[in-house]
Amino acid sequence: MEIPYFERPLFSFDQSRFRSDLAQANGKIIPLFKNALNAANVQLDTRFEEGEDIRSLIYERAQIMDCILHYAWHQFSWSDQVSLIAVGGYGRGELHPKSDIDLLLLMEEEQPEDLESAQNLLLLLWDIGLDIGHSVRTLTQCAEIAKEDITVVTNLLECRTIVGSDRPCLKLQKLTQPENMWPADEFFKAKKEEQLARHNKYDNTEYNLEPNIKNAPGGLRDIQTIAWVAKRYFGVRTLNQLAGKDFFTEEEFALLQSGEEFLWKVRYGLHKLAKRPEERLLFDHQRELAKEFGYKDCDSGLAVEQFMHRYYRVVMSLGELNDVLLNFLDETVLNASDQAAITPINDRFQLRDNYIEVTHNAVFLQEPSALLEIFVIMGNNPDINGVRPETIRLLREHRELIDDNFRNDPKNTQLFVDLLKCEYALVTQLKRMKRYNILGRYLPEFGDIIGQMQHDLFHIYTVDAHTLSVVKNMRMLRYPESREKFPVAYECMQQLPKPELLYMAGLYHDIAKGRGGDHSKLGAVDAYNFCIRHGLKNHEARLVSWLVDKHLLMSSVSQKQDISDPDVIHQFAVEMGDRLHLDYLYALTVADINATNPTLWTTWRASLMRQLYSETRRALRRGLENPIDRQDLIAETQDTAMQLLLEDGYAKDSVEALWSYLNEDYFLRENAKEIAWQSSSIIDHNSTDDLILVRETTSRKHEGATEIFIRTRDRSNVFAAVATTLDYLNLSIQDARIHNTERGGYTIDTFYVLDENNQPIKDDPTYREHIKKELQLELAQVDNYSDIISRRVPRRLKSFAIPTRTSISNDINTNTTILEVISPDRPGLLALIARIFLKFNIQLSNAKITTLGERVEDIFFITDEDGEPLSDPELCKELQAEICTQLDQQVEVSH
């Protein structure tokens, strides 16, 4: 029997030739189907690369697949009671390069010959390389499953017959109508709950670093959810049929269409790159797609940042539209017959069932200040659930009224200050303002950072999302629930006379990101101008500007400088000037770190911040004109440590004999309890063998890490051996204190470490003993040292191959050379640097290790082999060049 033609015209598929080849195939049809599919894929992909309209490509791919399935179907015999039906996205006539082809073999009644043909058809489809999602069911089975499963009835909502009898599909559509199952209200509730659960999975943000373009908020699934609910309620097959039903405006429909086309284009490119149905925009794919779509690196940002900036703005707009349309349907579908409760607020606003709305459609036109007033009202009334959809539309229609005259109107600037003083849900209002593009218009500098990503693993959100998260953290620090985790920040917040000044600094601390130059300096100018425009007193404006300028200072000093050094504390205290500035800056820093990346706020980092804060408060109480004397501090520490040792029964002569080998720096950098414990351990050990101790630190200043204490013979490669061993054990060094004895040939070293989860080592005696044995084994063979270990570099880190940067300077106070190394993080990094120190005969006295997402910013306090700072400029250049070369080569090898 001759196979009927596939009736729809296909411009990119030679149906006549394919039919001719099939007729002459003599049963060897699999290569023909494969070749036809490959040829179609190559042609469509070429047209995609040439920039052809994405809708044409997506629809045409589905039509070509229809044609292939048509001819595959006709290789077998079928009764007139069965059909092949497309469901899901394919049912809508859409097909992306690597998407599953969702099929339903539908039978009116089960026939043995149809079941056999169905099995043979599926085998053929698998053999020709199609990824199919399939089911073989009767009408009755489909209806029963659809009644119980919202996913099934959703898939069937857009089903269509590809080949076979039309009758089964028509009957199925009738059986699954709202009058028979899943009426519009139940369907809407189920889809809304489904969306809420899906959004929760992605932290309710469009701004994840590697977003899911299908399922995350603002993604393709949000567009489909709108379509499904609207189609179910209005009884239409396509969104185009909703014209004239007052569901969306022309502008909204255009936004929906353009947003979908952009995401389709991204998804097409993503599937093509990944060669699989990948929905995550992974870092390496982001770079490739940016290049594919013609973005280029320039002064305003990397190509990948420009591409992702566009992506984030699109999904934010789609998220806003999803919000409006689903709320509109909520009112239309669920509450259509209810009698609304109206509560007047003022001449401009009223509540309708606890949702705020305008009293008439000309409110914003007659009183533009109402564009801000509505958010102030919500911020002062916790019982308001949100904004009614029609009022959101009016906000969007009239937001162009926000111009320079509006921004400089004292009435409006006072309203914005009032908003920052609101008692309830300030961040919720700021997020609403951002989503409805009110915030970006009122603060154009904030509008510039909306959707702006920073292509690293340190900042896991876009600049605007991070900024609002900072303000959210500031608000959270006011509440007693935060006291346990952030005790100092909580106390600081209670002391602040005007918390709104802190919120202003939070809004502006990263406002100048992406402009080039120092964003702290540039942002400080913007912040000052904002404050003056909003009627703040000059000293308040200077405080906010100062906070923006210094917002990285406290984090940097605590992590990169030796905060046991009284000179460091005094210098930082001078920067603060008074307790008020210190409290404001501490609260801002805590909020900023926790909003940058949740993994950054470890107990170790918290202890460093707390130590810096408390030591600075002490310095301020003492008076900046009375800095602590180093010799007095050393004498005080020694006296306290000696008293502790004497109370434990140790002889004064024994202690003094031990201490005579130690230099003053040891007593300056270690506290009395630590010195007493280390001294008693060495005296008790009473041996020239290596002494290795592992314990939870008892020092509050080093709380949150595990302490590893080592007393061993002084050899040049001890640090390399320890760094290599700890890296092998998946322990990361946070701080290293290296003390070489002045006589006797020993080194006394203290390492503070965290495990791979950024936590102290678990309280497991067996594991701690294992650490000691591994260190003993490595130290025993340092003279015949093994190669540096190599472990796999994580995928995400491979996408951020920034070149290594170094800086070097001499520090008069510590009499050392300070070397800073900024490089991509990878296993074995510290061991490699230690080997380079060994090559250059460099001694390490202290190390501050900071990991920021995908990169490290490590500070090493080093000297030459005579214990003096490096004085030879050529040696410094050679050292820096060697570090950069070795580290960058290691990254290339890891790739």
Side-chain angles (χ1 to χ4, degrees), residues 285-435:
H285 294 146
Q286 291 174 17
R287 289 177 182 269
E288 289 298 319
L289 287 173
K291 183 179 177 181
E292 172 104 41
F293 297 151
Y295 293 92
K296 298 184 183 302
D297 294 348
C298 62
D299 292 342
S300 61
L302 299 173
V304 66
E305 292 174 343
Q306 297 169 53
F307 164 58
M308 292 305 294
H309 188 219
R310 169 85 192 282
Y311 170 83
Y312 288 126
R313 282 183 172 259
V314 168
V315 294
M316 188 184 76
S317 297
L318 290 172
E320 175 193 4
L321 190 56
N322 176 272
D323 198 18
V324 172
L325 295 179
L326 286 191
N327 282 338
F328 173 81
L329 284 167
D330 195 338
E331 291 184 359
T332 305
V333 177
L334 300 183
N335 302 306
S337 61
D338 294 347
Q339 186 65 39
I342 306 295
T343 306
I345 296 176
N346 56 32
D347 291 341
R348 294 168 295 285
F349 297 104
Q350 63 188 24
L351 292 183
R352 182 183 295 269
D353 292 335
N354 284 338
Y355 282 83
I356 194 168
E357 66 177 4
V358 292
T359 53
H360 57 87
N361 288 348
V363 161
F364 297 124
L365 200 57
Q366 294 176 2
E367 186 59 61
S369 294
L371 290 164
L372 295 180
E373 182 190 12
I374 186 173
F375 300 101
V376 177
I377 292 171
M378 286 191 285
N380 286 314
N381 187 338
D383 297 326
I384 299 177
N385 295 330
V387 187
R388 287 202 63 230
E390 287 303 324
T391 298
I392 295 175
R393 283 175 166 155
L394 289 170
L395 279 166
R396 289 164 51 199
E397 287 174 17
H398 293 93
R399 56 195 177 197
E400 72 276 0
L401 295 173
I402 302 176
D403 56 15
D404 285 341
N405 290 331
F406 182 100
R407 298 180 194 104
N408 292 313
D409 187 331
K411 183 176 182 180
N412 296 329
T413 57
Q414 185 57 53
L415 278 169
F416 194 76
V417 172
D418 290 344
L419 175 68
L420 296 178
K421 294 179 180 179
C422 283
E423 188 65 25
Y424 308 105
L426 167 62
V427 177
T428 299
Q429 308 318 321
L430 291 173
K431 285 182 176 179
R432 282 180 176 138
M433 291 177 71
K434 186 187 82 169
R435 177 164 288 224

Side-chain angles (χ1 to χ4, degrees), residues 53 64 98 141-142 194 241 390 493 495 523 547 677 699 760 813 824 830 854 885:
D53 174 63
I64 291 172
K98 296 296 178 181
Q141 289 170 337
C142 271
E194 190 177 82
Q241 294 172 310
E390 287 303 324
M493 287 299 297
Q495 302 298 320
L547 286 168
W677 174 68
S699 168
N813 294 324
L830 281 181
E854 85 292 351
T885 300

